[in-house]
Structure formats: structure tokens, C-alpha cells
Amino acid sequence: MFEMSEKEIMGIDKTLMGGSKFRNGFNYTVPSITLRTSLERIKDADLERAGDVYSFYLDLSNSISAISDKTKPGGYQFWVVGNRTVKGEVLLTDQIISEIAVQYGLQHVHTVDRNIINKVMPSLNSPTNESGVKSSTMSNEHIVILRKI
């Protein structure tokens, strides 16, 4: 077993996907038109939250790149994702991954959609914390299948 200091524990979030903060905007570099469109809508509602979303997808793009470097030609990658909603905008992560993949020599083969059974989260939540305002939570996931060209 290893020990971590309180400072190390508090700093873990910065090292996870989406841990970098873009509080005052960002230079868009992720190769996805779908993501760019969604981020423009989120930015209109909340620039800081758009920065959080961008940080996650930038890290995801970098992860796809790193894994693609290790994937042999003809090899497959499988990404299991959910399409969450931020500021009323549904982020089509399955489609975004397919768009990002092209830049790294990957071809989208197929996306399998399936319902999440025995879901732990409630079907509705209150993302705005306004009384009576409810929004649906994820009820399905997507398995994105990519192949290295």
C-alpha cells in the first residue's frame, strides 16, 4: 500500500481528464466540428463551464492520439461513452470520438447503442438547482468501434 499526502490527494483532480482549467476562454484545437458547435452554445451560457468541457475533450483527444500510436495497423479500439448534457446542450461524445479518430489514422467501424440497465443514478436530476426544474440523466451508452488504418 502507498501513502499520499493531503496535498497530493487534493491535487489529483488536476491530473485527471479535464483537470486543466480554461477559465477565460481557450484556443480551439480539437478536430471535431460537432464539439466546436456544442462548445459555442455552452460558451454563450457559461464561458467557464465551456472551458471545463473543452479541457475534458482536449485530454480525450490526446488519449486517442497516444493509444493510436500504440495500435497496430488493422487493430481495433473500443470506447464506451455516454452522451451527457451540459447547460442544456447534449454532448455527442460518440460522434465526437469518431471525428477526432480520423486525425490519428483511425476509421469509424460502427457504434453500438445500448440501454444502461440497473442504473444507479436517478432518471431525473436538477442541474440548475432551481426548484421544479428537472432534466433527464443518461439512460444509454455507446460503444464506438474504431480500426487503425
Side-chain angles (χ1 to χ4, degrees):
M1 189 169 108
F2 65 93
E3 296 289 323
M4 291 180 72
S5 70
E6 188 172 329
K7 182 179 179 181
E8 290 172 317
I9 292 169
M10 298 304 288
I12 286 176
D13 278 349
K14 292 179 184 174
T15 64
L16 300 175
M17 288 182 71
S20 299
K21 299 298 176 194
F22 296 94
R23 297 291 179 223
N24 300 311
F26 45 87
N27 293 321
Y28 188 86
T29 60
V30 176
S32 169
I33 298 298
T34 301
L35 177 61
R36 181 187 292 267
T37 301
S38 289
L39 283 173
E40 289 300 323
R41 291 183 187 128
I42 296 169
K43 275 173 43 176
D44 289 345
D46 185 338
L47 179 61
E48 189 173 313
R49 189 68 176 111
D52 293 341
V53 171
Y54 178 73
S55 177
F56 173 81
Y57 284 99
L58 179 61
D59 287 349
L60 177 60
S61 181
N62 291 336
S63 296
I64 293 170
S65 172
I67 294 168
S68 294
D69 287 345
K70 302 293 182 185
T71 304
K72 294 178 183 176
Y76 289 88
Q77 293 182 18
F78 297 82
W79 294 83
V80 181
V81 298
N83 293 341
R84 64 179 302 178
T85 302
V86 174
K87 296 292 179 183
E89 179 70 17
V90 177
L91 297 167
L92 302 174
T93 303
D94 57 324
Q95 187 172 329
I96 293 167
I97 286 174
S98 296
E99 292 173 5
I100 292 170
V102 172
Q103 179 166 331
Y104 302 116
L106 298 163
Q107 178 181 38
H108 177 255
V109 175
H110 188 66
T111 298
V112 178
D113 300 320
R114 67 181 192 173
N115 291 329
I116 299 173
I117 55 172
N118 299 323
K119 188 175 163 170
V120 176
M121 280 184 69
S123 298
L124 296 172
N125 68 1
S126 181
T128 62
N129 290 326
E130 294 177 33
S131 181
V133 178
K134 301 274 185 188
S135 182
S136 296
T137 59
M138 282 186 272
S139 60
N140 56 26
E141 63 186 7
H142 313 277
I143 304 167
V144 182
I145 304 168
L146 306 173
R147 186 166 190 241
K148 181 78 176 251
I149 300 170

Short mmCIF file of all heavy atoms in Angstrom, two decimals, residues 117-143:
data_model
loop_
_atom_site.label_atom_id
_atom_site.label_comp_id
_atom_site.label_asym_id
_atom_site.label_seq_id
_atom_site.Cartn_x
_atom_site.Cartn_y
_atom_site.Cartn_z
N ILE A 117 -28.84 -0.66 -18.01
CA ILE A 117 -29.79 -1.34 -17.12
C ILE A 117 -29.27 -1.27 -15.69
O ILE A 117 -28.09 -1.07 -15.45
CB ILE A 117 -30.00 -2.81 -17.56
CG1 ILE A 117 -28.68 -3.55 -17.65
CG2 ILE A 117 -30.73 -2.87 -18.90
CD1 ILE A 117 -28.84 -5.04 -17.89
N ASN A 118 -30.16 -1.40 -14.75
CA ASN A 118 -29.82 -1.31 -13.32
C ASN A 118 -29.06 -0.03 -13.02
O ASN A 118 -28.05 -0.03 -12.32
CB ASN A 118 -29.02 -2.54 -12.88
CG ASN A 118 -29.80 -3.81 -13.07
OD1 ASN A 118 -31.01 -3.84 -12.85
ND2 ASN A 118 -29.13 -4.86 -13.49
N LYS A 119 -29.55 1.06 -13.53
CA LYS A 119 -28.93 2.37 -13.38
C LYS A 119 -28.98 2.81 -11.92
O LYS A 119 -30.01 2.72 -11.27
CB LYS A 119 -29.68 3.35 -14.28
CG LYS A 119 -29.06 4.69 -14.38
CD LYS A 119 -29.84 5.51 -15.39
CE LYS A 119 -29.49 6.95 -15.17
NZ LYS A 119 -29.95 7.81 -16.18
N VAL A 120 -27.85 3.31 -11.41
CA VAL A 120 -27.76 3.76 -10.02
C VAL A 120 -28.25 5.20 -9.90
O VAL A 120 -28.93 5.56 -8.94
CB VAL A 120 -26.31 3.63 -9.50
CG1 VAL A 120 -26.19 4.19 -8.09
CG2 VAL A 120 -25.87 2.18 -9.54
N MET A 121 -27.91 6.03 -10.89
CA MET A 121 -28.34 7.43 -10.85
C MET A 121 -29.85 7.54 -11.06
O MET A 121 -30.44 6.71 -11.75
CB MET A 121 -27.66 8.24 -11.97
CG MET A 121 -26.26 8.66 -11.67
SD MET A 121 -25.61 9.69 -13.01
CE MET A 121 -26.58 11.16 -12.81
N PRO A 122 -30.47 8.59 -10.52
CA PRO A 122 -31.90 8.79 -10.79
C PRO A 122 -32.12 9.15 -12.26
O PRO A 122 -31.21 9.63 -12.94
CB PRO A 122 -32.27 9.97 -9.88
CG PRO A 122 -30.98 10.65 -9.58
CD PRO A 122 -29.91 9.60 -9.64
N SER A 123 -33.32 8.91 -12.76
CA SER A 123 -33.64 9.21 -14.16
C SER A 123 -33.72 10.71 -14.41
O SER A 123 -33.52 11.17 -15.53
CB SER A 123 -34.99 8.58 -14.53
OG SER A 123 -34.90 7.19 -14.41
N LEU A 124 -34.03 11.48 -13.38
CA LEU A 124 -34.10 12.93 -13.48
C LEU A 124 -33.24 13.56 -12.40
O LEU A 124 -33.09 13.01 -11.31
CB LEU A 124 -35.54 13.42 -13.30
CG LEU A 124 -36.57 12.99 -14.34
CD1 LEU A 124 -37.97 13.41 -13.90
CD2 LEU A 124 -36.25 13.60 -15.69
N ASN A 125 -32.66 14.73 -12.72
CA ASN A 125 -31.94 15.49 -11.70
C ASN A 125 -32.26 16.97 -11.89
O ASN A 125 -32.99 17.34 -12.78
CB ASN A 125 -30.43 15.21 -11.75
CG ASN A 125 -29.76 15.75 -13.00
OD1 ASN A 125 -30.39 16.36 -13.86
ND2 ASN A 125 -28.48 15.51 -13.12
N SER A 126 -31.69 17.80 -11.05
CA SER A 126 -31.91 19.23 -11.12
C SER A 126 -30.57 19.93 -11.33
O SER A 126 -29.96 20.42 -10.39
CB SER A 126 -32.59 19.73 -9.84
OG SER A 126 -32.81 21.12 -9.93
N PRO A 127 -30.08 19.99 -12.59
CA PRO A 127 -28.76 20.54 -12.84
C PRO A 127 -28.62 22.03 -12.56
O PRO A 127 -27.54 22.53 -12.33
CB PRO A 127 -28.52 20.24 -14.32
CG PRO A 127 -29.88 20.13 -14.91
CD PRO A 127 -30.74 19.56 -13.81
N THR A 128 -29.73 22.75 -12.54
CA THR A 128 -29.67 24.19 -12.30
C THR A 128 -29.90 24.53 -10.83
O THR A 128 -29.76 25.68 -10.43
CB THR A 128 -30.75 24.92 -13.13
OG1 THR A 128 -32.04 24.44 -12.71
CG2 THR A 128 -30.57 24.69 -14.60
N ASN A 129 -30.27 23.54 -10.03
CA ASN A 129 -30.62 23.74 -8.63
C ASN A 129 -31.81 24.68 -8.45
O ASN A 129 -31.98 25.29 -7.41
CB ASN A 129 -29.42 24.23 -7.80
CG ASN A 129 -28.38 23.15 -7.66
OD1 ASN A 129 -28.72 21.97 -7.57
ND2 ASN A 129 -27.13 23.54 -7.66
N GLU A 130 -32.63 24.81 -9.49
CA GLU A 130 -33.86 25.59 -9.40
C GLU A 130 -35.00 24.65 -9.07
O GLU A 130 -35.17 23.61 -9.72
CB GLU A 130 -34.13 26.32 -10.72
CG GLU A 130 -33.10 27.37 -11.06
CD GLU A 130 -33.36 28.01 -12.42
OE1 GLU A 130 -34.54 28.14 -12.81
OE2 GLU A 130 -32.39 28.35 -13.10
N SER A 131 -35.79 24.99 -8.10
CA SER A 131 -36.89 24.15 -7.66
C SER A 131 -37.83 23.83 -8.81
O SER A 131 -38.29 24.72 -9.53
CB SER A 131 -37.66 24.85 -6.54
OG SER A 131 -38.70 24.03 -6.10
N GLY A 132 -38.09 22.53 -9.01
CA GLY A 132 -39.03 22.08 -10.02
C GLY A 132 -38.45 21.94 -11.42
O GLY A 132 -39.10 21.38 -12.30
N VAL A 133 -37.23 22.44 -11.65
CA VAL A 133 -36.61 22.33 -12.97
C VAL A 133 -35.82 21.02 -13.02
O VAL A 133 -34.86 20.84 -12.28
CB VAL A 133 -35.67 23.52 -13.28
CG1 VAL A 133 -35.00 23.34 -14.63
CG2 VAL A 133 -36.45 24.83 -13.23
N LYS A 134 -36.28 20.09 -13.84
CA LYS A 134 -35.67 18.76 -13.92
C LYS A 134 -35.13 18.51 -15.32
O LYS A 134 -35.61 19.06 -16.30
CB LYS A 134 -36.69 17.67 -13.58
CG LYS A 134 -37.30 17.79 -12.20
CD LYS A 134 -36.42 17.13 -11.19
CE LYS A 134 -37.12 17.15 -9.84
NZ LYS A 134 -36.28 16.70 -8.79
N SER A 135 -34.14 17.63 -15.38
CA SER A 135 -33.55 17.23 -16.65
C SER A 135 -33.27 15.74 -16.60
O SER A 135 -32.95 15.19 -15.54
CB SER A 135 -32.26 18.01 -16.87
OG SER A 135 -31.69 17.69 -18.11
N SER A 136 -33.37 15.08 -17.75
CA SER A 136 -33.09 13.64 -17.80
C SER A 136 -31.60 13.37 -17.68
O SER A 136 -30.78 14.14 -18.18
CB SER A 136 -33.58 13.04 -19.12
OG SER A 136 -34.97 13.17 -19.22
N THR A 137 -31.25 12.26 -17.04
CA THR A 137 -29.86 11.83 -16.98
C THR A 137 -29.65 10.75 -18.05
O THR A 137 -30.61 10.29 -18.67
CB THR A 137 -29.50 11.29 -15.58
OG1 THR A 137 -30.36 10.18 -15.28
CG2 THR A 137 -29.63 12.37 -14.52
N MET A 138 -28.41 10.35 -18.25
CA MET A 138 -28.11 9.36 -19.29
C MET A 138 -28.84 8.06 -19.03
O MET A 138 -28.85 7.56 -17.92
CB MET A 138 -26.61 9.06 -19.31
CG MET A 138 -25.79 10.11 -19.98
SD MET A 138 -24.07 9.59 -20.10
CE MET A 138 -23.44 10.17 -18.55
N SER A 139 -29.43 7.52 -20.08
CA SER A 139 -30.12 6.24 -19.95
C SER A 139 -29.54 5.20 -20.92
O SER A 139 -29.97 4.07 -20.92
CB SER A 139 -31.62 6.41 -20.20
OG SER A 139 -31.84 6.91 -21.50
N ASN A 140 -28.59 5.64 -21.76
CA ASN A 140 -27.94 4.69 -22.65
C ASN A 140 -26.47 5.04 -22.82
O ASN A 140 -26.04 6.13 -22.46
CB ASN A 140 -28.66 4.58 -24.00
CG ASN A 140 -28.80 5.91 -24.70
OD1 ASN A 140 -28.02 6.82 -24.49
ND2 ASN A 140 -29.80 6.02 -25.53
N GLU A 141 -25.72 4.09 -23.35
CA GLU A 141 -24.30 4.31 -23.61
C GLU A 141 -23.99 3.86 -25.03
O GLU A 141 -24.82 3.20 -25.67
CB GLU A 141 -23.44 3.55 -22.59
CG GLU A 141 -23.58 2.06 -22.64
CD GLU A 141 -22.83 1.35 -21.52
OE1 GLU A 141 -22.28 2.02 -20.62
OE2 GLU A 141 -22.79 0.11 -21.55
N HIS A 142 -22.83 4.23 -25.49
CA HIS A 142 -22.44 3.96 -26.86
C HIS A 142 -21.06 3.31 -26.87
O HIS A 142 -20.15 3.79 -26.19
CB HIS A 142 -22.41 5.26 -27.67
CG HIS A 142 -23.63 6.09 -27.45
ND1 HIS A 142 -24.80 5.87 -28.14
CD2 HIS A 142 -23.88 7.11 -26.59
CE1 HIS A 142 -25.71 6.74 -27.73
NE2 HIS A 142 -25.17 7.49 -26.78
N ILE A 143 -20.92 2.25 -27.63
CA ILE A 143 -19.63 1.59 -27.80
C ILE A 143 -19.14 1.96 -29.20
O ILE A 143 -19.70 1.51 -30.21
CB ILE A 143 -19.73 0.07 -27.63
CG1 ILE A 143 -20.36 -0.27 -26.28
CG2 ILE A 143 -18.35 -0.57 -27.78
CD1 ILE A 143 -20.79 -1.72 -26.13
#
